[in-house]
Amino acid sequence: MKLLPELHANLVKKAIESAQAAGDLPQFEIPDIPITPAKREGQGDYACPVAMALAKVAAKKPRDIAEMIVKHLPKADFVSHVEFAGPGFINFTLSQKWLKQQIEAIIVEGEDYFSLDIGAGHKAQVEFVSANPSGPITIGRSRGGIIGDTMARLLEAAGFDVQREYYFNNAGMQMVMLGKSLKARYLQALGQDEPLPEGGYQGEYLIDFANELADEQGDALVNADWKPFKEFAEAKMFEWIRDSLAQIGITHDNFFNEDSMFQDGSIWAVLEELDERGYAYKATEWAGASDEEKAKAADREPAVWFRTTAFGDEKDRVMVKSDGIPTYTLPDIAYHKNKIERGFDIMVNVLGADHGQQYKVVQMGIEALGMDPSGIHVIINQMVKAVRQNPETGELEEIKMSTRRGVYDTLDELVEMTSPDAIRYHMLARSPSSHLNFNVEEVVKQSNDNPVYYIQNAHVRCCGIAREAEARGLSDEGADISLLSDEELAFIRKALEMGEVIETAVNQYEPHKIAFYAQELASTFHPIYDNVRALGEGIPEDVTRARLRFYHAARIIFKRVLDLMGMSAPERM
RNA sequence: GCCCCCGUAGCUCAGUGGAUAGAGCGCUGGCCUCCGGAGCCAGAAGCACAGGUUCGAGUCCUGUCGGGGGUACCA
């Protein structure tokens, strides 16, 4: 579909050029022309405030500038009326005839009508979730998953060729600990009095794994070290994680293992290159360390440092520890180098706030390698706090998250209590930068009255009408769309904003915008459903036919917006 | 201490520097013999504080206060 703000902006641009050529406006450089959907009745459909911004360079009053622009505005089939108003706004009204034509176009093209070509020929990658396989997916991780998956859907709608990737590390100390923890549980399952290692994983899921392992293997592994346990736990955990995510419609195209970069040596190649470029050095403490820091580091073996201070960091960072094992910094840089080399134009990285600072070091690393980091975009989502209402005080209180034995801590438990659609919507309907209070009870208890079903019900209603029409042997073929009223067209107008919403969400990496748009779209629809009956006594057949056509288009529109959010579009509720 | 995020209605949250700051929940009052009422209509209620930039600030800058996260030779 065409983006209406862009089309309007082009008209304004031509009008200014034409006014300048005619001497109605002085010469000046034409700035970017902002076009916004009108905010209220009587202000047309789209507004342009550019005249106010031009007042200075044109040395004229905003209203006079607006008048000149309107005077020189070229004709366009989608605009029926233009006026200047207020302090200097130019208000455009969409043509009714054109709007009605869009109904046919939507039905002919289907959901593809709402696709853009801004990403055509470009590859995009979204990396999200990326949890190491040491425990089940938590509510907090789900947020990043939903944001990432929705971002991917929006990029696809914008025309990008999208890959969803999951980056994981199964080689670190955490995984060793997981193996050791499972071994302890395994020995316990066999009746031995074996304590968990210090700092081990206390999650009850390891008890289940251990029982399973004991059933399968008997006591064959009593003398094994942590490795087979780690491998068993890892395989089980990944299966679990993938199942959990699949429940809410999240899948990945590629799982990228950090370890593969150790095996192919690319990590060491990056280190060498950083060294050649003068960004690495070996020392016991960083180059600008204070005396205090130096004293602390006195008895350490040297480590390899990354000179991030060259890029404005407050201190240099360790890349390779004194024991020869890299910290996460080096693999992260190597990973992003790898991404760039795979030829993505856009790489979106969804991170939780607890990892949020790390991307800066990665960016410095990419720059240090002489590569262009501008294709990398980070969405940092703030933490999720599961809350519920205290029955005594009425206050919202936090439900403590614990991977050990929290009540509401895993995605699985949440799915059990609510529904995938409810989880997706509520997680999505917040700006990523906003701290999320996820009120479990609200999503559960009030589910009959929440926006999730409000939006889906719009689709259900369209389906209901179609079903009823079919039962009565009525069809919308050959409908005379001109019989529709302003009310229906107001909805179509709102539906046409979907392209702008997708564009903005993609350009600004803010997938939550689609969730709010969907709610607005539904609230434009439901009053019409109430007022504009398609079927019923006293409604002329040609009017019925036209209205059926309208609801047909509306059904496609809601299907599309629900798809974009990864939600189901039920036909009945 | 320093860095990042947040502070908008009773609650949960929207709000690309533009016209009269929006929605959901909750609350109050109306509307159903209707294509499924999981709906519609109406009402009360708000930009943490202080400066600054701008023709115009919830939005940008500085500071203060409050909340969250980070600040490891953990990931």
Side-chain angles (χ1 to χ4, degrees), chain A residues 94-351:
Chain A
L94 290 171
S95 147
Q96 305 265 311
K97 188 180 164 201
W98 183 83
L99 277 172
K100 286 172 182 167
Q101 285 168 356
Q102 302 317 302
I103 294 177
E104 283 305 317
I106 289 165
I107 290 171
V108 170
E109 293 177 42
E111 287 189 56
D112 285 345
Y113 177 91
F114 297 97
S115 293
L116 309 177
D117 58 8
I118 55 179
H122 291 95
K123 284 172 69 184
Q125 189 219 44
V126 187
E127 183 218 324
F128 57 104
V129 183
S130 295
N132 288 338
S134 59
I137 292 295
T138 59
I139 292 176
R141 286 283 188 180
S142 312
R143 185 182 191 187
I146 290 162
I147 288 171
D149 182 65
T150 308
M151 193 66 226
R153 288 167 192 266
L154 291 165
L155 283 163
E156 282 165 350
F160 286 90
D161 177 16
V162 181
Q163 183 193 49
R164 293 163 167 82
E165 185 153 295
Y166 187 124
Y167 175 70
F168 71 100
N169 171 22
N170 58 354
M173 278 310 296
Q174 296 303 314
M175 295 302 290
V176 174
M177 187 55 79
L178 185 72
K180 288 180 175 170
S181 303
L182 179 61
K183 181 173 183 185
R185 293 300 194 191
Y186 167 78
L187 294 175
Q188 287 171 11
L190 294 175
Q192 296 189 26
D193 186 21
E194 177 73 20
L196 276 177
E198 196 177 332
Y201 286 86
Q202 302 183 42
E204 287 174 17
Y205 52 89
L206 285 186
I207 299 175
D208 299 333
F209 288 1
N211 287 331
E212 202 173 315
L213 196 56
D215 286 347
E216 276 178 24
Q217 302 277 341
D219 59 2
L221 295 171
V222 247
N223 295 316
D225 65 3
W226 54 270
K227 282 177 192 156
F229 295 98
K230 178 236 161 194
E231 274 162 30
F232 183 84
E234 180 187 336
K236 294 294 292 182
M237 200 57 75
F238 249 128
E239 195 184 327
W240 187 359
I241 288 171
R242 291 169 82 147
D243 286 350
S244 295
L245 292 172
Q247 285 182 98
I248 58 169
I250 294 176
T251 57
H252 290 83
D253 304 309
N254 193 34
F255 284 73
F256 191 101
N257 187 350
E258 176 186 316
D259 202 40
S260 68
M261 296 185 299
F262 282 91
Q263 283 164 19
D264 68 13
S266 56
I267 280 181
W268 308 116
V270 166
L271 183 63
E272 201 172 313
E273 194 173 345
L274 287 173
D275 189 30
E276 281 167 10
R277 289 171 175 267
Y279 292 109
Y281 62 91
K282 201 162 187 178
T284 51
E285 72 279 317
W286 73 285
S290 65
D291 292 344
E292 200 182 335
E293 284 173 299
K294 281 178 183 166
K296 222 190 277 181
D299 53 352
R300 277 185 194 148
E301 293 298 311
V304 183
W305 297 77
F306 176 24
R307 204 183 301 281
T308 52
T309 45
F311 300 95
D313 202 358
E314 57 186 339
K315 59 173 288 191
D316 294 335
R317 308 286 166 177
V318 170
M319 284 192 289
V320 183
K321 296 185 280 177
S322 36
D323 62 6
I325 296 172
T327 65
Y328 51 86
T329 297
L330 185 56
D332 272 3
I333 294 169
Y335 175 49
H336 281 84
K337 175 174 186 279
N338 177 295
K339 277 191 193 178
I340 291 172
E341 287 169 347
R342 278 187 271 163
F344 296 109
D345 300 291
I346 290 178
M347 288 145 284
V348 184
N349 196 352
V350 183
L351 294 174

Side-chain angles (χ1 to χ4, degrees), chain A residues 454 518-527 558:
Chain A
Y454 184 76
Q519 147 68 24
E520 288 170 17
L521 193 64
S523 70
T524 309
F525 174 83
H526 286 297
F558 280 109

Side-chain angles (χ1 to χ4, degrees), chain A residues 39-58:
Chain A
K39 283 189 178 147
R40 61 195 69 212
E41 296 287 321
Q43 297 177 352
D45 294 314
Y46 284 92
C48 177
V50 76
M52 270 112 65
L54 288 175
K56 222 167 223 178
V57 285

